[in-house]
């Protein structure tokens, strides 16, 4: 059993399950244990998939779509790949 106030989530960048104390999460914290994507990175990924596909999806599980082109001049490695 996890401590009270623990937030369990699946990283929407890499798909890894995570658990964090909710009180410790801030914009630049709450890094995924696998890909190290923080709250801000995961939020960008969530907005991107929501706007493109109508729902939040895990980036690493998306099927490539040649009709969509993205340009990132300074993307972080956790979602650039």
């Amino acid at each position: 059993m996890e401590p009270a106030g623990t937030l369990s989530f699946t990283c929407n960048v890499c798909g890894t399950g995570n658990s964090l104390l909710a009180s410790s999460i801030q914009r630049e914290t709450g890094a995924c244990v696998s890909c190290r994507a923080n709250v801000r990175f995961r939020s960008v990924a969530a907005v991107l998939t929501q706007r493109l596909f109508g729902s939040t999806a895990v980036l690493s599980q998306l099927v490539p779509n040649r009709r969509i082109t993205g340009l990132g001049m300074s993307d972080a490695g956790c979602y650039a790949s």
Side-chain angles (χ1 to χ4, degrees), residues 45-63:
V47 169
L48 177 68
T49 58
Q50 178 68 39
R51 297 293 292 165
L52 287 173
F53 309 114
S55 63
T56 302
V58 176
L59 291 183
S60 64
Q61 297 173 358
L62 292 174
V63 176

Side-chain angles (χ1 to χ4, degrees), residues 1-29:
M1 188 167 171
E2 297 187 18
T6 299
L7 174 66
S8 295
F9 65 95
T10 300
C11 177
N12 61 321
V13 174
C14 72
T16 300
N18 289 266
S19 293
L20 300 168
L21 284 175
S23 61
S24 71
I25 298 175
Q26 296 177 19
R27 177 178 180 234
E28 301 293 333
T29 64

